[in-house]
Amino acid sequence: MTSQVSSPAEQADGAVVGEQRKPAGEKDVRRLDRVIIRFAGDSGDGMQLTGDRFTSETASFGNDLSTLPNFPAEIRAPAGTLPGVSSFQLHFADHDILTPGDAPNVLVAMNPAALKANIADVPRGAEIIVNTDEFTKRAMAKVGWAANPLEDGTLDGYSIHPVRLTTLTVEALKEFDLPRKEAERSKNMFALGLLSWMYHRPTEGTEKFLATKFAKKPDIAAANIAAFRAGWNFGETTEDFAVSYEVAPATHTFPTGTYRNISGNLALSYGLIAASRQADLPLYLGSYPITPASDILHELSKHKNFGVRTFQAEDEIAGIGAALGAAFGGSLAVTTTSGPGVALKSETIGLAVSLELPLLVIDIQRGGPSTGLPTKTEQADLLQAMYGRNGEAPVPIVAPRTPADCFDAALEAARIALAYRTPVLLLSDGYLANGSEPWRIPDTDELPDLRVQFARGPNHTLDDGTEVFWPYKRDPQTLARPWAIPGTPGLEHRIGGIEKQDGTGNISYDPANHDFMVRTRQAKIDGIDVPDVQVDDPHRGAANTLVLGWGSTYGPITAAVRRLRAAGEHIAQAHLRHLNPFPPNLGTVLRHYEKVVIPEMNLGQLATLVRAKYLVDAHSYNQVNGMPFKAEQLATALKEAIDG
């Protein structure tokens, strides 16, 4: 869904503040500037679908938003247990926001496990909507509750709304003659309808979505729509919900344009397609399914009309091997994976370095090591991306900072790969991949021209006057070698992993040649044209602390910096997109501040690189719990750094 917004204005990540009004004959309506809602239930309760639909309607309404899906790695964890809880958090507002929110204002708990797994995050005074039908002795015993928390004072201080969601759903679907178990599955739609009433969300889009999703099962479609409407009507008629809420569209937040809600993986997919069109090259994806990168394979497989070819290989090594072959054949070649897959692909990445062919390696990082936390987020593959190959095999590294920014990061990675004939590692992560936010759909004339020239004929003259093709004769500006399409008469040349002779590309074991080629490949990466890092320092000269980030920490860091500035603190902020090579002015920027703090979802990998390269005493602030930073948490840590 898309929406039109206009007029830019930047606001702080504000608190919930409202005013009440009461139209004649209607319930009270309270206006809020922002709300954080979390849906939680079993992994089979449809919480991700519920959150996604609420998000889509919120995006079409015109709010700014940010989401945090959180689900177990198991396909179907044991029902009613804490490891099986799935949740979806949505933060939406009438102004510019940056994170999914630190704590929910509203928790929808579909069972005891959902309540127990999430209650620690819910502040006192928040609203909790509880499906009381599921609070049986057996269900409560599964999570260690001997007494009912709805009755024993556990939830004192919260605004509790007990709702018999399951019973009400079954009652609403009597006319459909569905088995009770089938009818109960629609309780997430009842909950969605209730929340849609509470927050004045549009309903037409969800009803159309359900009709389309279950088009081959019209009875199921009708039942889900009926449950959705019943939930909306329940909110309208019950006395338990005396107040509904309005969050106005964010009409003064973004530049004029057409916007849609987009996740990081979807934005990456669109960015890759756009890059192939701008380069006038076919797009080829060689991939093996792995969480949380598989959505890119799924999405790109839908776009054959744009010249996209997708290949689901038998393993990670075959996936990148096929992609590298496609690069040799003249395609914009991509392989997608997560950290464990990067490890398996490392030898072929090194081969791409040696062959000097453009290849995009997209790593959607997750918790490690090994299988680790497949559905949780982390940004701990930076050192693997930088050094995780045998020999001297330098690779450029690009990192998006928000879900929507994944589109631009894909274009930038493609620019570097094509212009410099090199594999490029793009480091996204699970938080960006699954999270979503509004994205302004760009005009095609805003996109960069990525077209390249293939080698057409001889490029070197021998001493005897013979004209020949040298596959490793380099562009003096970029040090890129020519890209010769196989089968082109006169451009035959060797490929393979053994060291090449400078210029000719013949196999060479000469020590001096190897030293020259290693240094040349490194110089090519060092010489990549990347823009200066921009510093956000509104009180130049007053701040002595710089917070430096990369990747998905942008939202929490920026929200924390805004809070500190609103409290009168002076602090500067910079965020890196290019991690190899670093921006040319980074050393100057770092030495300008007395203190440099680097928050990362790892144990200090960027800090290690910065300290080694610039001899700056950068301080790490680290978290590796599978979840993104909270703004308040970072604000506290940065305040301590300022005062320390």
Side-chain angles (χ1 to χ4, degrees), residues 7-71:
S7 301
E10 186 166 338
Q11 301 184 33
D13 195 6
V16 178
V17 179
E19 61 182 46
Q20 288 191 342
R21 59 181 175 85
K22 186 175 182 180
E26 296 183 14
K27 293 185 177 184
D28 287 341
V29 179
R30 180 172 299 165
R31 288 180 176 171
L32 308 174
D33 67 353
R34 68 180 178 97
V35 174
I36 303 167
I37 298 174
R38 183 182 298 179
F39 298 93
D42 269 335
S43 55
D45 281 340
M47 293 297 95
Q48 302 306 315
L49 175 62
T50 304
D52 182 67
R53 288 314 313 158
F54 197 95
T55 300
S56 293
E57 298 295 359
T58 297
S60 68
F61 188 70
N63 295 119
D64 193 14
L65 62 89
S66 180
T67 68
L68 178 62
N70 186 15
F71 43 87

Side-chain angles (χ1 to χ4, degrees), residues 39-57 67 69-71 86-90 185-193 196 205-214 220 224-225 228 261 434:
F39 298 93
D42 269 335
S43 55
D45 281 340
M47 293 297 95
Q48 302 306 315
L49 175 62
T50 304
D52 182 67
R53 288 314 313 158
F54 197 95
T55 300
S56 293
E57 298 295 359
T67 68
N70 186 15
F71 43 87
S86 174
S87 68
F88 189 105
Q89 184 162 305
L90 165 68
R185 294 180 64 184
S186 297
K187 62 182 181 289
N188 64 323
M189 289 297 104
F190 189 100
L192 178 59
S196 297
T206 293
E207 293 191 10
K208 289 180 181 178
F209 168 83
L210 292 171
T212 302
K213 180 177 176 64
F214 299 108
I220 300 299
N224 276 282
I225 292 171
F228 176 69
N261 183 49
N434 297 315

Side-chain angles (χ1 to χ4, degrees), residues 468-513:
V468 297
F469 174 68
W470 274 16
Y472 282 83
K473 186 168 186 176
R474 302 179 182 278
D475 181 289
Q477 298 298 319
T478 65
L479 298 183
R481 78 174 187 91
W483 195 359
I485 301 299
T488 306
L491 303 189
E492 298 85 359
H493 60 282
R494 293 181 176 84
I495 61 171
I498 298 178
E499 183 64 281
K500 315 293 185 297
Q501 185 181 54
D502 176 43
T504 68
N506 295 330
I507 291 173
S508 173
Y509 295 99
D510 177 63
N513 177 77

Side-chain angles (χ1 to χ4, degrees), residues 229-526:
R229 291 174 177 174
W232 196 96
N233 291 330
F234 178 77
E236 176 73 12
T237 58
T238 184
E239 294 182 2
D240 190 44
F241 293 92
V243 178
S244 64
Y245 304 90
E246 285 185 352
V247 180
T251 54
H252 302 290
T253 298
F254 304 112
T256 301
T258 302
Y259 286 76
R260 60 156 293 164
N261 183 49
I262 201 165
S263 68
N265 275 350
L266 185 57
L268 259 175
S269 301
Y270 288 174
L272 294 171
I273 295 171
S276 75
R277 303 293 283 186
Q278 294 302 107
D280 197 21
L281 297 173
L283 178 64
Y284 183 94
L285 173 67
S287 183
Y288 180 75
I290 183 172
T291 302
S294 300
D295 286 341
I296 302 173
L297 170 61
H298 300 160
E299 182 61 33
L300 289 179
S301 68
K302 303 174 184 177
H303 296 286
K304 296 180 179 66
N305 57 313
F306 286 114
V308 179
R309 293 186 178 182
T310 54
F311 169 56
Q312 181 175 318
E314 64 269 29
D315 56 40
E316 295 281 3
I317 298 172
I320 190 173
L324 185 57
F328 178 58
S331 293
L332 176 59
V334 185
T335 188
T336 52
T337 189
S338 189
V342 174
L344 292 168
K345 295 177 189 292
S346 62
E347 182 181 4
T348 309
I349 297 173
L351 176 59
V353 171
S354 175
L355 297 181
E356 301 189 46
L357 288 170
L359 175 67
L360 302 185
V361 181
I362 296 176
D363 176 7
I364 314 296
Q365 300 166 94
R366 70 190 205 189
S370 187
T371 306
L373 304 174
T375 60
K376 310 302 179 185
T377 196
E378 204 165 275
Q379 48 176 182
D381 294 348
L382 176 55
L383 293 183
Q384 178 179 223
M386 185 74 77
Y387 301 120
R389 294 162 294 284
N390 63 297
E392 295 287 346
V395 170
I397 303 171
V398 174
R401 64 186 189 179
T402 70
D405 187 51
C406 289
F407 178 88
D408 295 316
L411 284 164
E412 175 64 359
R415 177 191 73 85
I416 293 172
L418 293 170
Y420 294 89
R421 311 286 197 272
T422 177
V424 176
L425 264 155
L426 189 153
L427 295 182
S428 180
D429 60 41
Y431 171 38
L432 296 183
N434 297 315
S436 59
E437 67 175 351
W439 171 59
R440 188 181 71 83
I441 302 172
D443 294 328
T444 54
D445 58 7
E446 299 175 32
L447 303 179
D449 184 351
L450 301 179
R451 288 173 294 181
V452 297
Q453 294 294 324
F454 292 112
R456 301 298 182 190
N459 62 356
H460 184 75
T461 303
L462 299 177
D463 291 340
D464 63 3
T466 304
E467 291 187 340
V468 297
F469 174 68
W470 274 16
Y472 282 83
K473 186 168 186 176
R474 302 179 182 278
D475 181 289
Q477 298 298 319
T478 65
L479 298 183
R481 78 174 187 91
W483 195 359
I485 301 299
T488 306
L491 303 189
E492 298 85 359
H493 60 282
R494 293 181 176 84
I495 61 171
I498 298 178
E499 183 64 281
K500 315 293 185 297
Q501 185 181 54
D502 176 43
T504 68
N506 295 330
I507 291 173
S508 173
Y509 295 99
D510 177 63
N513 177 77
H514 177 61
D515 182 272
F516 178 82
M517 293 295 281
V518 167
R519 294 180 186 275
T520 300
R521 288 189 289 261
Q522 182 65 57
K524 180 171 70 171
I525 304 307
D526 292 341

Side-chain angles (χ1 to χ4, degrees), residues 108-264:
V108 180
M110 303 296 281
N111 60 20
L115 178 61
K116 187 165 188 178
N118 291 280
I119 190 64
D121 293 336
V122 183
R124 296 285 176 173
E127 294 187 87
I128 302 177
I129 300 172
V130 182
N131 181 14
T132 55
D133 286 331
E134 299 297 322
F135 278 70
T136 63
K137 288 185 178 180
R138 185 166 180 265
M140 290 185 291
K142 281 186 179 181
V143 297
W145 271 332
N148 191 333
L150 305 177
E151 301 170 353
D152 66 0
T154 298
L155 301 179
D156 287 352
Y158 299 97
S159 177
I160 306 299
H161 299 282
V163 181
R164 300 175 65 195
L165 280 172
T166 307
T167 299
L168 289 168
T169 303
V170 172
E171 184 70 21
L173 302 185
K174 270 186 177 180
E175 63 179 280
F176 293 94
D177 196 29
L178 294 172
R180 181 179 176 88
K181 188 173 183 181
E182 190 70 32
E184 288 179 358
R185 294 180 64 184
S186 297
K187 62 182 181 289
N188 64 323
M189 289 297 104
F190 189 100
L192 178 59
L194 173 58
L195 269 293
S196 297
W197 172 84
M198 285 182 65
Y199 291 97
H200 295 252
R201 299 296 92 185
T203 60
E204 295 82 1
T206 293
E207 293 191 10
K208 289 180 181 178
F209 168 83
L210 292 171
T212 302
K213 180 177 176 64
F214 299 108
K216 296 181 179 180
K217 298 179 179 179
D219 289 346
I220 300 299
N224 276 282
I225 292 171
F228 176 69
R229 291 174 177 174
W232 196 96
N233 291 330
F234 178 77
E236 176 73 12
T237 58
T238 184
E239 294 182 2
D240 190 44
F241 293 92
V243 178
S244 64
Y245 304 90
E246 285 185 352
V247 180
T251 54
H252 302 290
T253 298
F254 304 112
T256 301
T258 302
Y259 286 76
R260 60 156 293 164
N261 183 49
I262 201 165
S263 68

Side-chain angles (χ1 to χ4, degrees), residues 514-569:
H514 177 61
D515 182 272
F516 178 82
M517 293 295 281
V518 167
R519 294 180 186 275
T520 300
R521 288 189 289 261
Q522 182 65 57
K524 180 171 70 171
I525 304 307
D526 292 341
I528 290 174
D529 180 24
V530 303
D532 284 346
V533 64
Q534 299 299 309
V535 181
D536 178 17
D537 187 359
H539 301 94
R540 290 195 176 276
N544 66 358
T545 301
L546 171 73
V547 53
L548 179 69
W550 70 278
S552 66
T553 57
Y554 173 79
I557 288 174
T558 307
V561 167
R562 287 182 180 181
R563 293 186 185 198
L564 290 172
R565 288 175 180 168
E569 300 290 343

